[in-house]
Amino acid sequence: MSRPTPLRDVHESLGATLTDFAGWLMPLRYGSESAEHTAVRTAAGLFDLSHMGEIFLTGPQAGEALDYALVGHLSALAPGRARYTMIVGEDGGVLDDLIVYRLADERFMVVANASNYLLVARELTARAAGFDAVVDDQSEQWALIAVQGPRAQEILSALTDADLPGLKYYAGLPGVVAGAQALIARTGYTGEDGFELFIANEDAVSLWQALAKAGEPYGLIPAGLSSRDTLRLEAGMPLYGNELSTALTPFDAGLGRVVKFDKPGDFVGRAALEAVKDDPPRRRLVGLVAHGRRVPRHGYPVTKDGAVVGEVTSGAPSQTLGKPIAMAYVDTGVSEGVAVDIRGSQEGMDLVALPFYKRSARS
């Protein structure tokens, strides 16, 4: 049975279509997916992300434990800042992609994907065993609400005295929002500016309602998983299970930059990753823009002159481009003349660099 978030009753009162996602009962949409997508691009959207995992590491060697457990150099992270990183197996395959926040000198929070957080918690516990650090999976205690879009700062400013203008991208700070204690983060997964609010479960409903009321004059509307997926696709952001998996290393995914070989000491997967870091990639992750109206979907073959040269990882209609788009792994060297086999029909595609959409710089 799917687990509800603390906002289930709110979603039902708004007429949301609920669906199972990674074992959670989540809002897929509230009405029009395109309206939700457009609101985030032009005004703001309100998202329930309470299915994500929050795992804390504390202690004098918490940073060193994360350096060993993950591919990034987390002990070098300044308090108040965040970093995108990954946890891999001994063979270098990606177990999950993560965001790590350094909350204080000896306190970190690891945010894991809903489908993987139990695995991540187990792996972190095992990998931290030799360090003076404690791993505490608090995922059941936290709710997560995000406000994404160009009006996000204006909306949130009405509810908090926190220094939102001074909060940099990939950073977080504690603050009170609509009377609730929160960790206010600025990372995002839509390609737009925005904020993520980590709060106690019991504060979720009142905070959601306060944000909805404050955002109404700015055009904020609730947004579900469906629009979140099309937004992140336009922004070229990977989704675990689509662009990332245990069969791929960070280098396979074009994300070798997150692997820090120059940090002190060993880390899990180092030997396997060092063995492949200089190998020419067999395939690369690219963008596809359809010539016609048919949508490339996950798993569809990418072809050139009738031969399979790749596979679609994610695809959807793009509200911003007005055309179907997709991300796909294609053979290195293939740069044009590709198609996607959509149920036996070869649909022409333009191969483009990612992302499809990039917002204007924040003033």
Side-chain angles (χ1 to χ4, degrees), residues 6-7 10 50 143-145 199-209:
L7 292 163
V10 173
S50 302
L144 177 56
I145 297 173
I199 51 170
N201 285 336
E202 55 267 27
D203 293 324
V205 171
S206 62
L207 181 57
W208 177 282
Q209 292 171 340

Side-chain angles (χ1 to χ4, degrees), residues 24 50 52-55 117 137-143 201:
W24 290 84
S50 302
M52 302 293 282
E54 294 87 13
I55 304 155
Y117 81 89
D137 179 6
Q138 297 184 13
S139 303
E140 303 289 342
Q141 303 169 36
W142 291 83
N201 285 336

Side-chain angles (χ1 to χ4, degrees), residues 17-356:
T17 299
L18 299 175
T19 188
D20 177 83
F21 182 80
W24 290 84
L25 189 65
M26 298 295 294
L28 184 65
R29 69 182 70 83
Y30 298 85
S32 164
E33 296 171 13
S34 61
E36 293 169 22
H37 181 110
T38 301
V40 176
R41 288 279 180 256
T42 60
L46 187 60
F47 294 87
D48 179 10
L49 305 180
S50 302
H51 59 315
M52 302 293 282
E54 294 87 13
I55 304 155
F56 291 79
L57 277 82
T58 56
Q61 291 187 307
E64 289 80 359
L66 286 170
D67 285 347
Y68 174 71
L70 310 178
V71 301
H73 190 183
L74 287 313
S75 64
L77 195 62
R81 298 310 302 267
R83 184 163 295 165
Y84 177 78
T85 188
M86 297 181 183
I87 183 169
V88 303
E90 290 285 3
D91 63 354
V94 179
L95 301 179
D96 201 13
D97 61 333
L98 313 163
I99 296 178
V100 177
Y101 297 85
R102 189 167 200 166
L103 306 178
D105 285 342
E106 297 185 5
R107 184 171 173 82
F108 295 78
M109 179 174 69
V110 178
V111 179
N113 285 299
S115 57
N116 296 327
Y117 81 89
L118 292 173
L119 169 65
V120 172
R122 287 197 302 269
E123 286 293 327
L124 288 176
T125 300
R127 297 179 189 191
F131 297 87
D132 187 2
V134 176
V135 178
D136 183 14
D137 179 6
Q138 297 184 13
S139 303
E140 303 289 342
Q141 303 169 36
W142 291 83
L144 177 56
I145 297 173
V147 183
Q148 292 281 300
R151 310 302 296 271
Q153 183 171 305
E154 296 170 87
I155 294 166
L156 193 57
S157 292
L159 300 174
T160 182
D161 293 329
D163 182 17
L164 301 182
L167 185 61
K168 296 179 179 179
Y169 189 51
Y170 265 73
L173 81 168
V176 177
V177 183
Q181 291 288 337
L183 171 65
I184 307 169
R186 197 171 207 160
T187 55
Y189 192 57
T190 64
E192 296 297 337
D193 189 21
F195 300 88
E196 298 75 48
L197 306 172
F198 294 88
I199 51 170
N201 285 336
E202 55 267 27
D203 293 324
V205 171
S206 62
L207 181 57
W208 177 282
Q209 292 171 340
L211 287 164
K213 183 177 180 179
E216 189 174 354
Y218 297 94
L220 175 142
I221 62 172
L225 289 174
S226 198
S227 61
R228 186 168 180 255
D229 191 51
T230 55
L231 290 158
R232 71 93 194 167
L233 176 56
E234 287 185 348
M237 295 179 172
L239 174 66
Y240 194 87
N242 291 43
E243 288 74 40
L244 300 170
S245 73
T246 55
L248 298 169
T249 71
F251 294 99
D252 294 327
L255 294 168
R257 65 183 181 277
V258 307
V259 182
K260 305 302 181 184
F261 292 112
D262 58 350
K263 63 180 175 179
D266 195 13
F267 63 89
V268 176
R270 177 174 193 137
L273 293 175
E274 282 190 318
V276 300
K277 66 183 176 67
D278 296 322
D279 292 351
R282 186 176 69 86
R283 286 185 167 179
R284 61 194 178 103
L285 189 63
V286 301
L288 300 175
V289 179
H291 295 172
R293 308 306 302 174
R294 301 188 72 186
V295 179
R297 298 293 187 184
H298 174 76
Y300 286 9
V302 180
T303 63
K304 181 178 174 65
D305 300 328
V308 175
V309 295
E311 184 175 295
V312 173
T313 54
S314 298
S318 168
Q319 297 295 324
T320 304
L321 276 65
K323 299 177 181 179
I325 60 172
M327 287 196 281
Y329 283 106
V330 301
D331 293 349
T332 301
V334 174
S335 60
E336 58 183 13
V338 299
V340 172
D341 186 336
I342 301 180
R343 298 174 183 168
S345 175
Q346 302 299 311
E347 301 291 335
M349 302 281 155
D350 289 329
L351 192 152
V352 301
L354 295 168
F356 301 98

